[in-house]
Amino acid sequence: YGGIALLVRAHYHAKLFMQAFEQVRIPFQTVGPGLLYYRNEIRDLIALLRFLENPLDSISLYRILSMDVMSFSHKDTLYLMNFAKKTGRSLFEAMDASRALSQGELSPELENMKRYAPLFDAATKAKVVRAQALLLTLLEDSRTHSVTQVIYDFLDRSGYLKLLTTIESTEDQRRLDNITRFYKQLKALESEGIEPTVRDAITHIDLSLELGDSPTAGVSEALTENAVTIAT
């Protein structure tokens, strides 16, 4: 695999190849910061940033809840999405209502929503409470902390950091390497003592995806894996 390279004209052209390689377990590595954003583990973290910027972004929150570390089953996440749709609420608002109902809170609004609430077991109700508490903490932190601190707090408090350090396969190592690269990119946004916010990070990511990488972006990165190299 190390003798093969795939060159594409634009970032989004690489997405289908990356998905196909993942499905058939062909190892690959990317050159340049833009293509890094298409890796699943990085897309998860970008979804987190988009949610923190806009808590009403149900699509991003759905991706967060679908992460293995959040421990929600696909069925339970769909139940929450259906609850949100039937009550005309965002997914985050639906999570809060589900949490309130499971804890016995009463209000006219909750009473109207009750008939649509998913019938979760005790374990799933506990997951909803934990997930919402984590997200509320991160939302609060994102107002005053740098984006790198917020990302680290999520990795730490969710248990993802511990999971990352338990390397059992080449894919585990690659996932850790990609997250480290992403973290360093965000860290590089810091200048003259100014710490980048969540909004700064999203702006940087969106511009990178729109404009593409420079011809020399990532050339200095060490590409030593026996993997197909993907580059623009």
Side-chain angles (χ1 to χ4, degrees):
Y1 293 122
I4 302 172
L6 172 66
L7 302 180
V8 294
R9 283 186 67 92
H11 292 132
Y12 64 89
H13 291 160
K15 186 176 179 181
L16 290 176
F17 290 99
M18 295 167 77
Q19 291 174 339
F21 288 167
E22 287 174 344
Q23 288 173 1
V24 296
R25 299 186 181 280
I26 292 177
F28 65 91
Q29 56 195 347
T30 57
V31 176
L35 286 177
L36 178 67
Y37 301 150
Y38 288 104
R39 296 303 298 249
N40 281 331
E41 57 273 15
I42 305 307
R43 291 170 66 194
D44 290 340
L45 296 180
I46 293 174
L48 174 68
L49 297 180
R50 294 194 187 283
F51 165 77
L52 294 176
E53 176 66 14
N54 175 20
L56 300 182
D57 185 345
S58 296
I59 294 176
S60 292
L61 180 53
Y62 180 86
R63 185 176 185 95
I64 296 167
L65 296 182
S66 298
M67 295 172 65
D68 291 342
V69 73
M70 302 302 287
S71 302
F72 283 92
S73 70
H74 181 62
K75 179 178 67 175
D76 290 339
T77 309
L78 287 178
Y79 280 159
L80 280 171
M81 283 292 286
N82 191 49
F83 181 40
K85 182 178 180 181
K86 287 185 175 180
T87 56
R89 303 296 196 278
S90 69
L91 180 54
F92 190 54
E93 292 170 328
M95 283 181 65
D96 183 53
S98 178
R99 187 271 315 157
L101 288 168
S102 69
Q103 294 181 335
E105 294 184 18
L106 295 175
S107 72
E109 183 181 15
L110 287 173
E111 191 63 32
N112 291 332
M113 299 173 70
K114 191 173 182 180
R115 57 178 171 161
Y116 300 115
L119 300 176
F120 289 146
D121 58 25
T124 304
K125 289 178 181 178
K127 290 177 188 177
V128 173
V129 172
R130 287 196 302 270
Q132 195 205 21
L134 171 62
L135 293 171
L136 282 172
T137 299
L138 294 172
L139 280 167
E140 184 66 27
D141 290 348
S142 68
R143 297 190 180 102
T144 56
H145 295 180
S146 69
V147 66
T148 50
Q149 183 62 53
V150 172
I151 288 288
Y152 180 83
D153 287 346
F154 169 73
L155 295 175
D156 184 33
R157 293 171 180 171
S158 67
Y160 200 170
L161 191 60
K162 183 177 180 181
L163 189 66
L164 284 172
T165 55
T166 308
I167 298 174
E168 297 180 351
S169 66
T170 303
E171 184 56 34
D172 289 340
Q173 182 64 56
R174 189 174 295 116
R175 186 179 298 111
L176 175 59
D177 292 343
N178 288 335
I179 290 176
T180 301
R181 286 173 60 195
F182 181 63
Y183 186 86
K184 287 181 177 178
Q185 283 186 25
L186 296 181
K187 193 73 175 174
L189 295 178
E190 297 179 3
S191 61
E192 298 180 0
I194 299 175
E195 296 184 331
T197 63
V198 168
R199 177 173 293 182
D200 293 334
I202 292 174
T203 299
H204 170 77
I205 291 167
D206 286 342
L207 283 174
S208 180
L209 289 171
E210 181 180 352
L211 299 176
D213 299 324
S214 69
T216 58
V219 168
S220 61
E221 296 174 8
L223 300 177
T224 59
E225 289 188 54
N226 180 26
V228 176
T229 298
I230 302 177
T232 55

